[in-house]
Amino acid sequence: MYTWDELETMLHQCSRCALSQSRNLPVMGRGSHKASIMLVAEAPGAQEDQQGLPFVGPAGRVLDILLASANLTRQDVYITNIIKCHPPGNRDPKPEEQNACMPFLRCETALLRPPVIVCLGRIAAQKLIDPHFKIMRQHGTWVERKGYWMTAVYHPSFILRDPSRLEETKKDFQSVIRKLQEIEDSKYPL
Ligand code: URA
């Protein structure tokens, strides 16, 4: 098992897929290494590529609103992506890029061991929950996998394009807090 620092060093040296040639900086997850909630989005955007940090662009502002609606800040969660390098033109990550990057996400998950994983958007939900996941129909639903409770919500960039989705996504975020409370309560029989 690697440490967080070792993982980040390996990420900066990574050349497992062609995106390592076009990226400016890889984007390691950020947030609390003790968080109970891991948020997984799809891929860094252009601003993230410049700064080497997740969700520093416009979608990040929407994410902060969603977190605040559940009384959370970035310091309460751990935020990462399926792939750690920016795909040129913001295209969807290719399956081979996702597969090449999975060891990093597996290590992050093994280090954090979060009770709850929230997929931000379809790409992450289809990679982590179900390849046929329908984000419109299934957002806010829960499944338990290998001891992790998992759900998916709309991607903050989608909410930027369609702000009418904000309120239902706030509700999905609030269900994350309820799920954590349920998990906590289930540890105590009385
Ligand atoms: N969109 C993502 O999917 N990830 C980021 O880190 C930023 C924007």
Side-chain angles (χ1 to χ4, degrees):
M1 170 90 99
Y2 298 106
T3 65
W4 289 103
D5 285 346
E6 285 167 342
L7 203 57
E8 186 147 6
T9 302
M10 286 191 295
L11 181 60
H12 281 261
Q13 293 164 351
C14 178
S15 57
R16 291 175 58 89
C17 81
L19 293 178
S20 60
Q21 306 303 309
S22 56
R23 73 169 182 233
N24 178 44
L25 288 171
V27 178
M28 177 80 184
R30 281 288 181 272
S32 168
H33 290 169
K34 293 191 165 66
S36 302
I37 303 169
M38 180 161 85
L39 305 178
V40 186
E42 56 189 72
Q47 298 194 34
E48 288 76 20
D49 179 63
Q50 288 305 310
Q51 296 188 41
L53 296 169
F55 281 99
V56 287
R61 288 192 280 282
V62 176
L63 181 58
D64 288 333
I65 292 170
L66 293 170
L67 289 170
S69 75
N71 268 327
L72 295 168
T73 68
R74 296 216 188 188
Q75 287 71 49
D76 299 317
V77 297
Y78 181 80
I79 306 172
T80 193
N81 284 293
I82 297 280
I83 69 164
K84 312 300 195 223
C85 294
H86 173 54
N90 267 343
R91 62 164 171 72
D92 286 352
K94 296 177 186 168
E96 61 268 28
E97 292 162 351
Q98 297 186 33
N99 291 338
C101 223
M102 276 308 281
F104 287 105
L105 185 61
R106 283 200 196 94
C107 287
E108 290 172 289
T109 311
L111 282 166
L112 194 64
R113 294 211 60 78
V116 163
I117 298 176
V118 181
C119 300
L120 301 180
R122 169 183 64 86
I123 299 274
Q126 290 186 343
K127 186 67 185 166
L128 300 185
I129 300 178
D130 173 357
H132 302 293
F133 195 91
K134 301 271 185 291
I135 192 77
M136 293 291 190
R137 226 182 297 149
Q138 291 175 276
H139 69 89
T141 60
W142 288 90
V143 288
E144 193 187 11
R145 291 281 161 72
K146 299 184 186 170
Y148 299 102
W149 278 99
M150 308 184 68
T151 190
V153 304
Y154 290 131
H155 193 288
S157 303
F158 174 64
I159 300 171
L160 270 180
R161 293 192 298 275
D162 183 356
S164 73
R165 305 289 180 173
L166 181 65
E167 289 311 311
E168 57 187 312
T169 312
K170 284 183 180 174
K171 293 203 179 90
D172 288 347
F173 261 78
Q174 286 151 16
S175 89
V176 173
I177 301 300
R178 283 200 301 279
K179 178 57 76 178
L180 271 178
Q181 191 59 53
E182 266 173 48
I183 295 168
E184 196 53 32
D185 291 349
S186 69
K187 292 181 189 161
Y188 304 102
L190 294 176

